[in-house]
Amino acid sequence: MATLIIAEHDNSILKPATLNTVAAAVAIGGDVALLVAGEGCQAVADQAAKVAGVSKVLLADNAAYGHQLAENVAPLVAELAKTAGFEYVLAPATTTGKNLLPRVAALLDVGQLSDIVAVESADTFKRPIYAGNAIATVKSLDAIKVITVRGTAFDPVAAEGGSATIEAVTAVHDAALSRFVGEEVAKSDRPELTAARVIISGGRGMGNGENFALLEKVADKLGAAVGASRAAVDAGFVPNDMQVGQTGKIVAPELYIAVGISGAIQHLAGMKDSKVIVAINKDEEAPIFQVADYGLVADLFEAVPELEASL
Amino acid sequence: MKVLVTVKRVLDYNVKVRVKADRSDVDLANVKMSLNPFCEIAVEEAVRLREAGVATEVIVVSIGPKAVQEQIRTALALGADRGIHIETENSPESLSVAKLLAKIVADEQPGLVILGKQAIDSDNNQTGQMLAALTGLSQGTFASEVKIEGDEALVTREVDGGLQTLGLKLPAIVTTDLRLNEPRYASLPNIMKAKKKPMEVKTPADLGVELRAHIELLSVEPPAERKGGIKVSSVAELVEKLKNEAKVI
């Protein structure tokens, strides 16, 4: 039994999500190989070789894989899975993994299990459906199992301590269907919503977009990301890339502070796996208090500045 | 060029899903069903491309039991020109949907196919990518902006850490993210007009596709309940609890 994991990286650093995915592969059992596909990414392969539990690193270093375009990387992965006899192909459930893996699955004519949160047995896994409002136990009926792994559900393996061999992969697939034009990396010093350890979100109770500055001040002190409920987005307070919820981003930080958010199902679905939830709301009947570990019934315009001052 | 849009009928996003007592699946009896929110964005984008003179025709496809025609009609009311309903007993899995759609793409030869990035029931986020693989076309997933320039689609994608722009050779497959646009509402006259727009009904057999199960659903259970928390009386107490009890700050 062997697993091929698509390493997440930016051609210089191995991203931590890869370590959580290795943990899922270790739970399945068997040999674990990491594929590092990119351009000028030897440094990533060196880091990958040190990851605990990894026995082999496959390095496909070519201009065609530079921006990890799915059109070029998917045929490479599908070919490796078939010719090298991998029974499992895993990737972190990040935008890169989600973009690539279904294309691989279709090329292999197999189904895909998205966002697994638990390994039940070699072919059976648990995954959330309906934005986490139900947990499905699903069995893969295919010979090659293609799976994306939800990082927050598996504790990462150690980044050091392994001693895998590095093998070069020379196969080049250039579909010439797409090209990288440019990128705009978020300049904010604040972490990204989906990766943040702490998130502070505002809802309709914020009143307007300017008032989100109150949350930003708290966020800066806590190193937190700022989110919003759909109600706040629909009211035009903030752009919808800040939206946490079933139709926005699904987050599971260590601390989630919901400010002026009533706690509609749509919102809860996106944040209820957070480790600690704090709710600040003046309506003590608000449903958010049913999921909050710590609830404060107070006017947010007084409580939030006070919170900022006491941090 | 023709634009093909796909829509899925799903449980309305405002409805709290309930797991059946026998844990076989979720209970969809007598609950409100709607157009998947990401599909709504896909329809809106296609209609805007037509209004901008880029698209000449917008075709909307849905797969499932007869009831999905309701969602096709909604898309027609929003501005799509004609509908295709592929009738199946239940809602097939992603790979099967992609195989059926690949046949429609081969028949209709659209210049662009727009899908939602994921359906809010199965949360798979697979169909668009699978369709791109099966048709051998380029893919622009999680799109927050789509521009057609000559024989290329410039697609800005929402990726972890920011935005990425790709140039995709047309025809291309695009999946929508939330930021792409704000869907319009269907007006009453348009809802009436939509009833007269053409809708073709096909079966997987008509398309020559044999569907096979790749994934078996063994059981569905409700998620672990969060245990009830406490109310604190002041900000000072809250900060104290977060520091010393929860140890998260």
Side-chain angles (χ1 to χ4, degrees), chain B:
Chain B
M1 67 180 177
K2 279 192 210 174
V3 176
L4 188 74
V5 212
T6 63
V7 295
K8 186 175 185 184
R9 175 184 169 90
V10 298
L11 180 72
D12 188 89
Y13 72 85
N14 279 312
V15 177
K16 186 164 173 63
V17 64
R18 264 188 303 271
V19 172
K20 281 185 188 170
D22 67 359
R23 301 280 159 103
S24 61
D25 206 339
V26 297
D27 193 353
L28 294 180
N30 304 315
V31 292
K32 187 183 174 205
M33 303 293 280
S34 299
L35 200 54
N36 178 43
F38 292 103
C39 300
E40 245 179 288
I41 296 172
V43 173
E44 176 66 29
E45 193 65 15
V47 172
R48 287 188 191 188
L49 284 170
R50 206 168 84 103
E51 288 166 349
V54 177
T56 49
E57 188 184 23
V58 175
I59 309 157
V60 55
V61 191
S62 192
I63 300 169
K66 198 158 197 292
V68 307
Q69 290 192 6
E70 208 181 298
Q71 277 60 45
I72 296 177
R73 288 286 170 211
T74 304
L76 293 172
L78 292 169
D81 297 293
R82 64 184 164 94
I84 300 173
H85 170 209
I86 304 173
E87 194 166 0
T88 57
E89 220 169 293
N90 24 46
S91 183
E93 56 187 87
S94 314
L95 186 61
S96 302
V97 168
K99 284 181 178 176
L100 293 167
L101 292 175
K103 290 287 178 185
I104 301 291
V105 170
D107 288 350
E108 299 282 352
Q109 298 284 323
L112 192 67
V113 185
I114 313 179
L115 305 86
K117 78 163 175 183
Q118 73 185 62
I120 61 164
D121 51 1
S122 57
D123 281 338
N124 276 320
N125 195 331
Q126 300 170 354
T127 306
Q129 295 89 313
M130 287 179 164
L131 176 62
L134 298 177
T135 52
L137 298 179
S138 56
Q139 68 182 56
T141 50
F142 326 131
S144 60
E145 198 184 351
V146 178
K147 275 190 284 190
I148 307 294
E149 285 185 6
D151 60 353
E152 199 178 55
L154 289 176
V155 176
T156 302
R157 308 175 53 231
E158 298 209 11
V159 295
D160 297 329
L163 300 171
Q164 179 194 58
T165 304
L166 298 179
L168 305 177
K169 201 172 143 194
L170 291 172
I173 311 285
V174 167
T175 74
T176 64
D177 214 323
L178 269 184
R179 220 194 316 195
L180 184 59
N181 61 47
E182 199 146 316
R184 69 192 70 188
Y185 293 97
S187 65
L188 190 59
N190 285 344
I191 292 170
M192 301 309 290
K193 269 187 233 160
K195 293 186 175 158
K196 296 202 178 73
K197 288 185 179 176
M199 173 145 34
E200 215 180 330
V201 181
K202 293 173 188 272
T203 64
D206 294 339
L207 297 167
V209 177
E210 208 175 316
L211 303 179
R212 179 162 68 87
H214 294 270
I215 292 160
E216 188 185 338
L217 180 65
L218 298 181
S219 67
V220 174
E221 58 202 288
E225 293 269 334
R226 287 191 76 93
K227 60 175 173 58
I230 55 157
K231 290 233 172 94
V232 293
S233 56
S234 68
V235 170
E237 189 188 347
L238 174 63
V239 172
E240 190 273 321
K241 294 271 189 208
L242 290 178
K243 273 191 181 143
N244 303 322
E245 198 176 276
K247 295 185 170 60
V248 286
I249 57 170

Side-chain angles (χ1 to χ4, degrees), chain A:
Chain A
M1 213 155 74
T3 300
L4 178 66
I5 296 176
I6 320 302
E8 175 114 351
H9 67 91
D10 60 2
N11 289 322
S12 56
I13 292 168
L14 183 72
K15 297 279 177 74
T18 313
L19 304 177
N20 306 80
T21 308
V22 173
V26 169
I28 292 169
D31 281 342
V32 179
L34 275 181
L35 170 68
V36 176
E39 184 183 12
C41 53
Q42 179 70 43
V44 179
D46 293 341
Q47 292 162 46
K50 291 191 199 120
V51 173
V54 174
S55 57
K56 188 163 67 177
V57 173
L58 301 172
L59 172 62
D61 196 333
N62 190 283
Y65 307 133
H67 294 283
Q68 292 156 44
L69 300 170
E71 295 84 350
N72 298 350
V73 180
L76 171 73
V77 176
E79 184 184 271
L80 283 172
K82 268 192 264 185
T83 58
F86 288 105
E87 274 175 76
Y88 296 84
V89 178
L90 268 57
T94 55
T95 48
T96 314
K98 288 175 179 175
N99 184 48
L100 173 69
L101 230 52
R103 191 162 181 126
V104 173
L107 292 177
L108 293 169
D109 194 25
V110 301
Q112 183 192 298
L113 302 177
S114 292
D115 250 321
I116 62 156
V117 293
V119 176
E120 295 291 290
S121 72
D123 61 3
T124 305
F125 305 88
K126 282 189 192 291
R127 59 176 301 264
I129 53 175
Y130 292 88
N133 285 309
I135 305 294
T137 304
V138 285
K139 183 177 169 181
S140 164
L141 307 174
D142 292 309
I144 301 178
K145 293 158 183 52
V146 175
I147 299 168
T148 60
V149 176
R150 178 170 290 191
T152 50
F154 295 88
D155 290 329
V157 296
E160 300 283 335
S163 55
T165 53
I166 301 179
E167 266 175 44
V169 177
T170 50
V172 177
H173 295 269
D174 190 351
L177 286 169
S178 55
R179 65 184 180 95
F180 174 81
V181 176
E183 64 190 346
E184 196 181 306
V185 179
K187 284 178 202 77
S188 164
D189 292 336
R190 281 186 213 111
E192 247 188 283
L193 268 178
T194 46
R197 202 186 66 82
V198 179
I199 294 173
I200 180 161
S201 283
R204 204 194 299 273
M206 295 304 295
N208 60 45
E210 286 77 61
N211 289 336
F212 269 73
L214 294 173
L215 305 186
E216 286 165 13
K217 285 183 195 159
V218 177
D220 288 340
K221 289 216 168 160
L222 290 171
V226 180
S229 69
R230 182 168 175 143
V233 171
D234 284 350
F237 297 172
V238 289
N240 61 4
D241 55 324
M242 284 171 64
Q243 184 182 321
V244 171
Q246 184 166 13
T247 54
K249 293 188 166 127
I250 296 183
V251 299
E254 281 185 39
L255 172 61
Y256 188 91
I257 307 174
V259 181
I261 292 177
S262 65
I265 306 156
Q266 127 81 27
H267 186 74
L268 298 183
M271 47 63 87
K272 67 176 169 41
D273 290 330
S274 307
K275 192 165 153 240
V276 175
I277 297 174
V278 169
I280 301 175
N281 204 302
K282 64 180 174 193
D283 173 13
E284 64 179 307
E285 300 297 320
I288 190 79
F289 287 120
Q290 288 162 20
V291 301
D293 299 278
Y294 302 106
L296 175 63
V297 180
D299 183 346
L300 70 93
F301 295 103
E302 285 163 24
V304 175
E306 198 184 331
L307 175 64
E308 190 223 331
S310 59
L311 290 171

